[in-house]
Structures are given as structure tokens and as C-alpha cells.
């Protein structure tokens, strides 16, 4: 008889999206079965920046410490910069043209620190995914299967039946599950379901070279130890590229591994050979071939597309299968991980009969608009790269003499130099949407879905990319605050997540807490409740941080979802708190 596996959720794909989903489901007590057709996790180092939200998730899953142990130190990832080449005969080769604080400046940016007690990490995908695999296997022993290929599936009345090939033994077997998560990069499941990708496909081709070399010995390299991404604009060649350190044991310019990506022009689909790509790298950086070890040359099309559907029956589309975008802004992997975080608690509650099936429809309602906005942002960032270079007077159409003449104005005295620097400052201002985008990858909101919307406006952002305004309006990430007791301060984030709802009431909101605890007991809900106030209640906000952000009165309350988004709030105490909260939970959980 054909082998049959019975599980609750089948995960197709063993990248960051699928492995994160496996860990989350295990923490929620849900059985899953993950398959990946590959023998191992990705060897590509292309995705490397892990956002605040992503690191909040990995802290909850117990992976943060392992990631930070290998991550780039904060001191080496505070800025991005633009440089006149890296090395060369001219004394100005390698000279810094401009720099911009980026990704929270290694934890130094006050706005980013106020948003969360967590911060960015920088670890190449090729080193991140083995860590995730190890933790997933520990959380769900026997449930993570590499070199097992998904061949297809059919949906039945009570679940799905998938056919899997064990590529080690050649054995084919079936998996019976309630739900299927397509985390396969859009290779099989989405096309099989007829899900179309909408947007701009293959607008250009990016070529990247992963190599090892000692670049610290060149020119002015030692002057930029606090810079992570370096955009190289060599006046001699007019061929721009981005140079990113990959560690693994030293960072900054002492990094031994690097990735150099050629900046692709719109419509430029030329496929250089590996030798041509390496030759372009040598020309642009101005370095010798001696001492350079090439690990791999990779090419991929630049896409700006979003799936037309994120749910088809019992199948859900996540990660690159749901959205693909240019790397400008470092949103791709982070958006994928946050797809898993949005969906997995909902699946757990439906499987445990704590919520109605309609809760699962909120996944598409919430994540698809966010994906579209993020893809649009990344696509705009990619197109802006050429505008930024042009603001320095750099162009591939210029000759070397003209490029040098224009760039040297950045370091010149007098009116011409001042005017050139003013144009350049306007140029790097464009880059804020790529590197200073707290409101894009942290401040995004849900307009509808598993929440009870209210008509009270949230604080208006003055800049759509950089100006994040925390709010307790339903659909927003819960504002961060530091709380305190006799042992010291702790983050409000320590009280959230872990697959549980949390009701937070003001100092006169005890009735809300009583109602929440009664409903949790009656319905078997993972729902905690507490009061937070300056000098009264169960938790103490001695520095008024929560008070300044809660946006409700002393008898009001907010309900925070397991993924740290506000689901409901009341500005005051209702006449019947239990009935009011019960009605809100029914709407959020689709209980009817």
C-alpha cells in the first residue's frame, strides 16, 4: 500500500517563508509536514537584511540569539554610501560622494528605537536558512523533509490530498492535510491553481557575483567602516554596481566574502557570461583578478508582481509565490516572513474551533494590499537608483573625463561646489524611500480583515515612507512602550505574541479585564487581560510611555492580536463590557 501521512498543514517550500511557518505552527500546537525538493537550504546570499518586524518574530520563536551571533555588528551597518569607484590610479578613486543613515543606523535612530525594542539584523540568506531549518526541526521533530518533491494535490470535502516524491528513495506517497501553504516561490502550487501574477514582470535582469577577496587593502576603503551597502560609481567605466559585505567572521571592509550586483537598467536583459560578469566587476571596482575567488555568478529577472489571489480553497499563497519585487529596500524576505506570521495563528485558531472558517479569508484581505504597496515601493526604489546617480552628475553616457569633472564638484569649494552638493542632497533624499522607510516595512496597516474598524483617524504621517506615527487604531501595529517594576524596565512586546490575544485596559478598565477573562474561560480562547497605568493597575507605565500612545481614556481598552496588530478598541467603558467584547471577538474571529 502507498504510504500515507496524516497531518494538519502541508507546507510546500523550505525557504525562510516555509521554515518560519513550520516553527510558528509548532509553537501554536499545530501538526505540519514540510517538503522541499532541494537537498539543502538556499546557497544564495542575496537576501540579507532582516527588518524589525522580522526580528520580533524570530525573537518570539527563539531564533534571534542565533541570528545575531552571526549577524553583522551594528557598528558596520549604520549607513549606505556612494563612492567614486573603489580603487584605481586616480587619487580620488574610492572617495566617498555621499552617505545616508540607513535601516535605523544600527539602533541609533531615535524614531526606530521608539517603534520597537528590536532592531535590524544583517545575515545572508545562505546562513539564515540553515539556522531556521535547525530550529524548525527542533520544534517539529520528524516534520521537516528536504529532498521531498511536491508533485500535485487535489482538494476534497474534508481536506487536501497531495502527492509527494521522496527523491532519495524514489518512493511516492500521499499527505492528507486540512490546509496547504504554498511557500514554493510560485514554482508549482500557484500555477497549478491558475493563480496569475499581476504587475511588471522581468523588467530587467540583475547579475550578481559572490566572491572572496581582501578589499581592505584598496585605496580609501578603511574610511567607511560604518557603511553597509556601497554603490560604486566608477567614472572610468560608467558601469554602476552595489557592493555588499557578507562576513562571515569579520565585517566592514575586513569582510572576506562579498556580493557585487550590477545595477540593471530598465529593459536591459543582456545575459553576460560568467567571465564577462567577473570582468565587469573588476573594471567597476578597479581591482586585480589576483586574490579574487569567485564562488558563483547568479542572474535573476527583476519582477514587480503580486498574485491575483492569496487563497484558493484550502490553499494559501505566501512569500515569493505571492509577491516578487526588486531588492531595493530589502523588503522581499521580510514581507514573506510576515505573511507566515499573519496566517499561522489564524489557522491554529480555526483548527482548534476557536474561530470560524471566515477568519482565514482575512489573510488575503490584509496581506494582498500590503504586498501591492510594498512591491510598488521597491519598484520605485529600483527606478530611483539611476536618478540618484544622475544627481551626482554620473551617467553611463558620459565619458570618464565628464564623470570625473562632475563628481569632483562634490568636493569643491565655492558656489559650484555648493550647488553640486545641494543637487546631490536632493538625490540622496530620493534614496530615503529605500533606506529610511520605517513607515513602509513597520508602519504598514490593515484597513479591513480580522479587526473592528473605528472612525477615529490615526495620527497623519507627514511622509509616506519615513514618518511612522504609532497608533492604537485597529489595523495598526500596537505602539511600543517600556514598562517598569521593582526589577527594572521591560518591553510591552514581552507581553504579546505567542499565539495569544491580549486585552490592555486603562487604570479604570478592570471591568474590561473581567469580561475578557470570563470570555476566555467560556470559549477556550487564548486571551490574556491586564491593566496598564502610571501608578495603578497590574502593570506600571512609570514614564508615561504607554499613556502617551494608548489614545483612549482611563476606562478604555485595546485588544491586540497574536501578530501584534490592534484588533479592536474602546475609548471608554461600555455599559455591558462583556457583551461588547463578545461582539467584537465574534467579528474578529468570524464566529458569527
Amino acid at each position: 500500500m502507498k504510504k500515507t501521512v496524516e497531518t494538519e498543514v502541508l507546507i510546500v517550500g523550505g525557504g525562510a517563508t516555509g521554515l518560519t511557518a513550520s516553527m510558528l505552527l509548532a509553537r501554536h500546537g499545530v501538526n505540519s509536514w514540510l517538503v522541499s525538493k532541494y537537498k539543502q537550504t538556499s546557497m544564495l546570499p542575496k537576501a540579507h537584511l532582516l527588518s524589525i518586524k522580522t526580528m520580533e518574530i524570530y525573537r518570539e520563536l527563539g531564533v534571534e540569539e542565533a541570528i545575531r551571533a552571526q549577524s553583522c555588528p551594528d557598528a558596520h551597518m549604520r549607513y549606505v554610501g556612494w563612492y567614486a569607484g573603489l580603487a584605481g590610479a586616480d587619487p580620488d578613486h574610492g572617495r566617498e560622494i555621499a552617505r545616508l543613515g540607513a535601516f535605523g543606523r544600527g539602533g541609533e535612530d531615535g524614531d526606530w528605537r521608539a517603534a520597537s525594542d528590536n532592531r535590524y539584523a544583517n545575515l545572508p540568506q545562505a546562513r539564515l536558512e540553515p539556522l531556521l531549518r535547525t530550529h524548525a526541526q527542533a520544534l517539529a521533530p520528524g516534520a521537516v523533509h528536504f529532498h521531498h518533491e511536491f508533485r500535485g494535490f487535489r482538494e476534497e470535502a474534508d481536506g487536501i490530498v497531495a502527492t509527494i516524491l521522496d527523491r532519495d528513495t524514489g518512493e511516492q506517497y500521499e499527505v492528507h492535510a486540512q490546509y496547504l501553504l504554498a511557500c514554493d516561490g510560485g514554482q508549482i502550487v500557484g500555477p497549478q491553481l491558475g493563480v496569475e501574477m499581476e504587475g511588471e514582470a522581468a523588467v530587467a535582469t540583475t547579475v550578481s557575483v559572490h566572491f572572496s577577496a581582501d578589499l581592505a587593502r584598496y585605496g580609501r576603503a578603511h574610511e567607511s567602516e560604518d557603511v553597509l551597502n556601497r554603490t560604486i560609481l566608477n567614472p572610468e567605466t560608467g558601469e554602476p554596481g552595489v557592493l555588499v559585505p557578507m562576513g562571515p567572521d569579520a565585517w566592514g571592509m575586513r569582510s572576506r566574502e562579498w556580493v557585487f550586483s550590477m545595477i540593471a537598467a530598465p529593459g536591459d536583459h543582456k545575459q553576460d557570461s560568467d567571465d564577462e560578469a567577473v570582468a565587469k566587476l573588476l573594471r567597476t571596482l578597479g581591482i586585480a583578478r589576483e586574490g579574487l575567488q569567485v564562488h558563483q555568478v547568479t542572474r535573476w529577472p527583476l519582477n514587480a508582481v503580486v498574485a491575483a489571489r492569496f487563497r484558493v480553497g484550502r490553499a494559501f499563497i505566501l512569500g515569493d509565490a505571492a509577491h516578487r519585487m526588486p531588492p531595493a529596500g530589502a523588503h522581499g524576505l521580510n514581507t514573506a516572513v510576515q505573511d507566515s506570521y499573519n496566517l499561522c495563528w489564524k489557522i491554529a485558531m480555526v483548527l482548534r474551533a476557536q474561530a470560524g472558517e471566515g477568519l482565514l479569508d482575512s489573510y488575503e484581505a490584509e496581506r494582498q494590499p500590503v504586498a501591492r504597496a510594498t512591491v510598488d515601493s521597491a519598484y520605485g526604489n529600483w527606478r530611483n537608483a539611476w536618478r540618484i546617480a544622475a544627481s551626482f552628475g554620473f551617467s553611463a553616457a558620459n565619458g570618464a573625463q565628464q564623470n570625473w569633472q562632475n563628481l569632483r564638484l562634490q568636493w569643491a569649494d565655492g558656489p559650484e561646489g555648493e550647488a553640486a552638493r545641494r543637487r546631490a542632497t536632493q538625490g540622496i533624499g530620493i534614496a530615503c524611500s529605500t533606506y529610511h522607510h520605517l513607515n513602509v516595512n513597520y508602519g504598514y496597516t490593515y484597513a479591513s480583515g480580522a479587526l473592528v474598524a473605528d472612525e477615529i483617524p490615526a495620527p497623519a504621517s507627514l511622509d509616506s515612507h519615513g514618518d511612522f506615527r504609532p497608533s492604537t487604531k485597529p489595523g495598526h501595529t500596537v505602539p511600543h512602550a517600556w514598562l517598569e517594576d521593582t526589577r527594572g524596565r521591560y518591553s510591552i512586546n514581552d507581553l504579546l505574541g505567542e499565539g495569544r490575544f491580549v486585552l490592555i485596559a486603562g487604570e479604570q478598565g478592570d471591568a474590561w479585564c473581567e469580561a475578557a477573562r470570563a470570555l476566555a474561560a467560556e470559549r477556550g480562547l487564548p486571551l490574556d487581560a491586564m491593566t496598564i497605568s502610571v501608578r495603578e493597575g497590574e502593570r506600571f507605565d512609570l514614564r508615561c510611555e504607554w499613556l502617551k500612545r494608548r489614545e483612549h481614556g482611563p476606562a478604555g481598552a485595546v485588544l491586540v492580536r497574536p501578530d501584534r496588530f490592534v484588533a479592536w478598541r474602546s475609548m471608554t467603558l461600555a455599559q455591558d463590557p462583556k457583551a461588547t467584547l463578545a461582539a467584537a471577538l465574534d467579528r474578529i474571529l468570524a464566529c458569527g
Side-chain angles (χ1 to χ4, degrees):
M1 293 181 63
K2 183 179 291 187
K3 172 184 171 183
T4 302
V5 172
E6 299 285 345
T7 191
E8 292 179 300
V9 179
L10 172 63
I11 303 169
V12 180
T17 314
L19 291 168
T20 301
S22 173
M23 289 187 284
L24 287 165
L25 291 170
R27 291 290 287 266
H28 298 331
V30 174
N31 295 322
S32 68
W33 188 269
L34 181 149
V35 296
S36 170
K37 69 179 182 180
Y38 302 107
K39 281 191 173 182
Q40 57 193 9
T41 51
S42 175
M43 299 296 292
L44 298 176
K46 60 180 182 179
H48 57 101
L49 279 157
L50 306 177
S51 73
I52 293 174
K53 276 192 181 292
T54 297
M55 292 307 295
E56 287 179 346
I57 296 166
Y58 287 149
R59 175 179 293 177
E60 183 176 319
L61 290 171
V63 195
E64 181 189 17
E65 186 176 339
I67 291 172
R68 295 215 183 270
Q70 295 188 37
S71 174
C72 174
D74 292 341
H76 297 302
M77 53 182 294
R78 293 187 172 130
Y79 296 90
V80 294
W82 291 261
Y83 297 86
L86 179 71
D90 193 284
D92 287 328
H93 263 126
R95 192 165 181 178
E96 187 173 274
I97 304 166
R99 63 167 50 197
L100 180 68
F103 309 117
R105 288 190 297 152
E108 289 187 341
D109 188 292
D111 290 338
W112 294 54
R113 283 203 316 270
S116 174
D117 62 318
N118 217 311
R119 64 192 192 282
Y120 260 77
N122 181 65
L123 185 66
Q125 183 177 347
R127 299 195 185 100
L128 170 68
E129 289 186 358
L131 293 179
L132 301 183
R133 179 178 178 178
T134 297
H135 279 73
Q137 289 169 331
L139 286 170
V144 177
H145 303 273
F146 278 70
H147 221 213
H148 284 221
E149 183 178 354
F150 172 85
R151 306 302 293 272
F153 82 105
R154 66 182 184 274
E155 183 169 329
E156 299 183 343
D158 59 347
I160 63 105
V161 178
T163 302
I164 309 295
L165 173 66
D166 184 333
R167 299 180 72 180
D168 287 326
T169 66
E171 176 190 17
Q172 196 161 273
Y173 64 96
E174 289 185 343
V175 174
H176 296 187
Q178 294 295 302
Y179 300 106
L180 183 152
L181 306 190
C183 309
D184 63 341
Q187 295 182 23
I188 300 178
V189 182
Q192 186 178 116
L193 291 169
V195 175
E196 296 184 357
M197 304 301 292
E198 300 173 338
E200 302 290 334
V203 293
T205 300
T206 290
V207 181
S208 292
V209 183
H210 177 206
F211 66 99
S212 290
D214 177 13
L215 299 185
R217 60 194 175 99
Y218 288 102
R220 302 168 175 267
H222 65 281
E223 297 177 0
S224 55
E225 283 294 299
D226 52 359
V227 172
L228 184 63
N229 294 2
R230 294 165 172 80
T231 298
I232 306 298
L233 306 174
N234 190 336
E236 304 287 345
T237 67
E239 297 174 330
V242 178
L243 182 66
V244 182
M246 292 287 152
D249 301 317
W251 294 86
M253 289 308 297
R254 293 181 297 111
S255 175
R256 301 300 298 182
E257 289 186 28
W258 301 86
V259 167
F260 182 74
S261 297
M262 326 291 179
I263 297 178
D268 180 6
H269 301 283
K270 182 180 178 182
Q271 294 286 342
D272 292 336
S273 69
D274 287 3
D275 287 343
E276 289 170 330
V278 173
K280 185 180 288 188
L281 175 153
L282 297 174
R283 288 196 305 270
T284 304
L285 297 185
I287 63 175
R289 181 67 173 83
E290 182 182 0
L292 183 140
Q293 178 188 0
V294 176
H295 301 299
Q296 57 185 326
V297 178
T298 55
R299 302 164 183 81
W300 68 88
L302 278 177
N303 297 298
V305 294
V306 178
R309 301 178 67 184
F310 277 33
R311 180 186 185 185
V312 181
R314 292 179 176 269
F316 298 86
I317 316 297
L318 296 81
D320 284 356
H323 38 72
R324 296 173 215 130
M325 63 197 80
H331 298 308
L333 183 147
N334 294 299
T335 307
V337 169
Q338 289 151 38
D339 288 345
S340 294
Y341 198 52
N342 178 283
L343 178 61
C344 287
W345 69 268
K346 298 173 180 178
I347 288 178
M349 294 196 73
V350 171
L351 287 172
R352 300 296 173 261
Q354 296 163 335
E357 178 76 17
L359 176 62
L360 300 179
D361 290 331
S362 70
Y363 169 66
E364 178 175 305
E366 293 174 355
R367 294 303 298 170
Q368 191 180 57
V370 168
R372 286 178 175 148
T374 308
V375 166
D376 287 347
S377 178
Y379 188 39
N381 293 340
W382 167 70
R383 289 181 295 179
N384 283 340
W386 294 95
R387 294 175 59 198
I388 297 165
S391 75
F392 306 143
F394 179 92
S395 171
N398 293 342
Q401 183 177 355
Q402 185 64 55
N403 273 330
W404 271 125
Q405 181 178 328
N406 293 345
L407 289 185
R408 286 194 173 109
L409 290 175
Q410 298 298 322
W411 313 305
D413 296 327
E416 276 194 296
E418 291 177 4
R421 286 187 289 276
R422 188 161 50 250
R423 290 191 297 270
T425 302
Q426 291 174 328
I428 65 169
I430 299 170
C432 284
S433 63
T434 305
Y435 302 113
H436 185 65
H437 47 38
L438 186 62
N439 208 34
V440 176
N441 71 356
Y442 192 85
Y444 65 80
T445 62
Y446 300 141
S448 63
L451 54 91
V452 181
D454 66 30
E455 300 303 317
I456 303 169
S461 294
L462 302 179
D463 180 87
S464 61
H465 290 92
D467 183 28
F468 168 61
R469 300 295 177 99
S471 176
T472 59
K473 183 178 176 66
H476 289 236
T477 296
V478 64
H480 182 257
W482 289 102
L483 307 179
E484 294 183 65
D485 59 24
T486 55
R487 295 186 178 182
R489 73 173 190 167
Y490 58 94
S491 170
I492 197 171
N493 278 334
D494 296 342
L495 309 175
L496 307 174
E498 301 292 347
R500 304 187 66 80
F501 279 83
V502 178
L503 181 133
I504 303 173
E507 56 270 23
Q508 297 173 20
D510 288 330
W512 286 121
C513 294
E514 292 170 7
R517 290 167 186 144
L519 289 168
E522 292 171 11
R523 299 186 178 193
L525 291 177
L527 170 58
D528 299 326
M530 67 191 71
T531 56
I532 296 178
S533 67
V534 178
R535 281 176 289 274
E536 304 172 20
E538 297 163 302
R539 302 280 181 169
F540 297 96
D541 177 28
L542 300 183
R543 298 181 63 83
C544 301
E545 292 193 19
W546 176 249
L547 181 68
K548 288 184 285 190
R549 296 178 175 91
R550 71 186 189 185
E551 298 178 323
H552 63 70
V558 298
L559 182 65
V560 184
R561 303 185 336 185
D563 58 359
R564 303 168 196 267
F565 279 80
V566 177
W568 164 91
R569 71 176 172 181
S570 178
M571 296 303 189
T572 60
L573 186 65
Q575 185 174 359
D576 188 340
K578 185 178 179 183
T580 301
L581 185 57
L585 285 167
D586 285 346
R587 289 181 60 183
I588 294 161
L589 300 177
C591 296

